[in-house]
């Protein structure tokens, strides 16, 4: 079945640093989403990005569907960026298949 | 516009008891999904409603789990009887029909079975 692998599993940054999170998936993409789970457990939608590049403030994401990967860029990181970042994707059946996440800590 | 809401936020029960989780989707969203995250593992799909109909329940772990969405609005997920391995965080999500199936998630219900 579809598999999603995320890397790195853990990441510690100093405030102001940039980072790139990666998501590899094993099947064709109809729906690729990035989420941020904040320290309170809430899953916040970041991007719906089955292909191409999108930017939202300090965050941007790129999905290269033909090569089956997606990247999430965080620039000028802030302590509020801490939490777990998930990517998830779905085929035609709409159910999201999730990676294990990247746990990000940003130190002041 | 209100987001997806879930109740309760936390539930602690003993093995063998019954628990009912509730999800209120975003108004107008026909699609409603339940997911679960067991500690240390990935978030897993449980089932998908389209309005009041179960579109896909392939992720439901066993017949101790019963999901309903009467009237196509809110949904409940009942676990009866609860077992230790049912502990985890249960997420609900909703989405509209359309080419971009962006799923919006509730805050989750943390279930602990002792």
């Amino acid at each position: 079945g579809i598999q999603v692998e995320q890397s790195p599993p853990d990441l510690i940054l100093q405030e102001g640093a940039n980072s790139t999170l990666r998501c590899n998936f094993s099947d064709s993409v109809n729906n690729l989403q990035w989420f941020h789970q904040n320290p309170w457990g809430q899953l916040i939608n970041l991007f719906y990005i089955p292909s191409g590049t999108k930017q939202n403030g300090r965050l941007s994401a790129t999905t290269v569907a033909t090569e089956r990967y997606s990247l999430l860029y965080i620039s000028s990181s802030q302590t509020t960026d801490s939490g777990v970042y998930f990517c998830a994707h779905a085929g035609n059946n709409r159910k999201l298949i999730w990676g294990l996440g990247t746990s990000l800590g940003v130190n002041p | 516009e209100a987001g997806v809401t879930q109740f309760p936020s936390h539930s602690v029960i003993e093995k063998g008891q019954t628990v009912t989780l509730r999800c209120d989707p975003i108004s107008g969203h026909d699609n409603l999904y339940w997911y679960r995250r067991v500690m240390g593992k990935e978030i897993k799909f449980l089932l998908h409603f389209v309005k009041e109909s179960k579109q896909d329940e392939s992720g439901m772990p066993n017949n101790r789990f019963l999901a309903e969405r009467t009237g196509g609005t809110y949904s409940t997920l009942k676990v009866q009887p609860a077992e230790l391995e049912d502990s985890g965080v249960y997420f609900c999500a909703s989405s509209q029909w359309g080419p971009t199936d962006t799923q919006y998630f509730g805050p989750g219900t943390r279930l602990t079975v002792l």
Side-chain angles (χ1 to χ4, degrees):
Chain A
I2 300 171
Q3 292 186 351
V4 179
E5 294 182 352
Q6 291 188 245
S7 60
D10 301 281
L11 183 61
I12 302 294
L13 299 175
Q14 282 301 125
E15 198 167 28
N18 302 328
S19 64
T20 300
L21 311 182
R22 185 177 179 104
C23 173
N24 292 331
F25 42 88
S26 62
D27 208 335
S28 59
V29 174
N30 287 310
N31 174 346
L32 191 292
Q33 291 186 242
W34 282 97
F35 296 88
H36 174 216
Q37 186 175 37
N38 63 23
W40 295 272
Q42 177 78 48
L43 284 167
I44 308 298
N45 296 73
L46 296 178
F47 295 101
Y48 172 89
I49 186 164
S51 64
T53 297
K54 289 185 179 179
Q55 180 155 7
N56 184 2
R58 295 181 296 103
L59 302 181
S60 65
T62 294
T63 296
V64 183
T66 54
E67 296 187 23
R68 298 183 178 173
Y69 72 88
S70 184
L71 303 175
L72 178 69
Y73 306 95
I74 304 174
S75 63
S76 304
S77 58
Q78 300 176 359
T79 56
T80 52
D81 295 332
S82 296
V84 184
Y85 289 81
F86 291 100
C87 73
H89 85 107
N92 291 327
N93 58 14
R94 293 175 174 257
K95 62 183 181 185
L96 289 173
I97 308 298
W98 297 73
L100 284 171
T102 292
S103 179
L104 174 65
V106 181
N107 294 325
Chain B
E1 176 184 289
V4 178
T5 58
Q6 293 186 243
F7 182 83
S9 57
H10 295 83
S11 180
V12 180
I13 61 173
E14 293 189 350
K15 176 182 173 180
Q17 289 186 321
T18 297
V19 63
T20 299
L21 314 181
R22 174 172 170 141
C23 168
D24 286 78
I26 294 171
S27 178
H29 282 193
D30 287 339
N31 294 299
L32 188 149
Y33 307 83
W34 284 98
Y35 293 85
R36 176 175 75 170
R37 188 180 194 197
V38 174
M39 186 179 293
K41 297 190 176 181
E42 71 272 27
I43 299 171
K44 285 194 173 180
F45 166 86
L46 296 178
L47 87 159
H48 170 205
F49 283 101
V50 177
K51 296 185 179 179
E52 67 274 9
S53 300
K54 292 176 184 175
Q55 181 77 12
D56 181 354
E57 52 184 331
S58 60
M60 295 287 265
N62 51 60
N63 60 10
R64 296 184 294 102
F65 288 76
L66 175 64
E68 295 180 322
R69 192 183 182 194
T70 306
T73 54
Y74 71 90
S75 175
T76 58
L77 179 64
K78 180 189 287 188
V79 185
Q80 179 182 29
E83 298 289 344
L84 299 179
E85 63 266 24
D86 301 333
S87 295
V89 181
Y90 290 77
F91 291 101
C92 174
S94 71
S95 71
Q96 291 178 311
W97 278 113
T100 61
D101 183 38
T102 302
Q103 297 182 25
Y104 297 93
F105 281 75
T109 293
R110 181 175 296 277
L111 174 64
T112 302
V113 183
L114 302 175

